């Protein structure tokens, strides 16, 4: 699977507010010039792009979703967690994308991650 890697400039104030509401502390906040979203879903995933932003304990993770029209939404999602059962148990990695993400699991990415 190749990653979408579509980028979008996120409003820094909205990003910090969403992270604060999700339990982030000030040291977790991105720098104002680091507020670009980069889609982590597989190429051809559908209409909405998505990027992981923050997790606090066992709560659902904070993700940002956006579309090509510039509409953004901060959402709380549960990770997929499915693992590659073709590998031995000690080598399996859980999928870090949200449940119902479509277009392949995170361990299937063949291009370099954007982070």
């Amino acid at each position: 699977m190749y990653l979408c890697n579509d980028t979008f400039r996120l409003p820094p104030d909205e990003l910090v507010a969403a992270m604060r509401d999700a339990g982030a502390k000030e040291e977790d906040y991105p720098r104002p010039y680091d507020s670009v979203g980069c889609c982590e879903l597989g190429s051809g995933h559908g209409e909405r792009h998505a990027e992981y932003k923050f997790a606090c304990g066992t709560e659902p993770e904070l993700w940002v979703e956006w579309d090509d029209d510039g509409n953004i939404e901060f959402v709380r999602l549960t990770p997929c967690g499915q693992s590659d059962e073709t590998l031995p148990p000690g080598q399996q990695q859980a999928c870090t994308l949200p449940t119902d993400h479509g277009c392949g699991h995170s361990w299937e990415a063949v291009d370099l991650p954007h982070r």
Side-chain angles (χ1 to χ4, degrees):
M1 162 182 86
Y2 287 95
L3 298 177
C4 171
N5 284 329
D6 182 80
T7 59
F8 184 76
R9 172 88 38 206
L10 304 171
D13 294 341
E14 291 180 35
L15 174 57
V16 167
M19 290 181 71
R20 183 181 52 245
D21 292 347
K25 296 182 177 22
E26 192 170 335
E27 61 265 16
D28 300 318
Y29 300 161
R31 296 171 295 234
Y33 51 84
D34 278 342
S35 61
V36 173
C38 189
C39 185
E40 297 182 37
L41 302 178
S43 226
H45 57 75
E47 295 179 15
R48 296 191 56 85
H49 302 282
E51 180 189 44
Y52 166 85
K53 284 300 175 192
F54 180 76
C56 184
T58 59
E59 297 294 318
E61 299 173 339
L62 176 66
W63 283 72
V64 61
E65 295 182 336
W66 68 94
D67 62 25
D68 292 334
D69 293 329
N71 301 306
I72 67 165
E73 182 179 8
F74 293 94
V75 294
R76 303 294 296 273
L77 301 170
T78 304
C80 171
Q82 185 173 337
S83 56
D84 183 356
E85 296 178 3
T86 64
L87 296 174
Q91 296 177 4
Q92 293 178 5
Q93 296 178 357
C95 178
T96 58
L97 299 174
T99 302
D100 300 326
H101 53 78
C103 284
H105 297 284
S106 59
W107 75 78
E108 297 174 303
V110 294
D111 51 350
L112 294 175
H114 49 73
R115 292 186 199 184

